[in-house]
Amino acid sequence: METFLFLTPLAAIFALVIAYVIARTVLSASRGSDRMIEISDAVRQGASAFMNRQYKTISYVAIVIIVLFAIVALTQSGDQATTWWWITIGFAVG
């Protein structure tokens, strides 16, 4: 058991070092020709528009679920109400 407690932080540090090395390698590489940069910029713009739409949609769904959880919490009493309020708060924060 003690071996695992020692290896976990070491593995995490090793993973961070490897991620840093890979990120530096990728970021230092050439972006390519002018045409490749043009295509890359178009893909980035499309991806950004898609992600903005996704976040908006997910926000609407999350608000509906939070309201439903709150309604359930209001209909409960005692420990169940407390549990449902914590579920609602946890979902909202998450």
Side-chain angles (χ1 to χ4, degrees), residues 8-94:
T8 303
L10 270 174
I13 292 169
F14 180 72
L16 288 171
V17 169
I18 295 299
Y20 174 78
V21 169
I22 292 172
R24 294 295 299 168
T25 302
V26 169
L27 292 174
S28 67
S30 170
R31 288 187 64 197
S33 66
D34 289 340
R35 179 71 177 139
M36 289 171 64
I37 293 171
E38 182 182 332
I39 292 169
S40 171
D41 290 342
V43 169
R44 182 179 295 114
Q45 183 180 2
S48 180
F50 172 78
M51 291 306 296
N52 287 337
R53 179 64 184 156
Q54 280 294 101
Y55 287 137
K56 185 184 248 185
T57 302
I58 288 171
S59 296
Y60 293 149
V61 171
I63 289 170
V64 169
I65 292 172
I66 290 168
V67 168
L68 290 174
F69 282 174
I71 290 170
V72 171
L74 289 171
T75 63
Q76 304 297 315
S77 62
D79 289 342
Q80 283 187 337
T82 303
T83 301
W84 274 102
W85 280 117
W86 280 115
I87 290 171
T88 304
I89 292 167
F91 185 83
V93 170

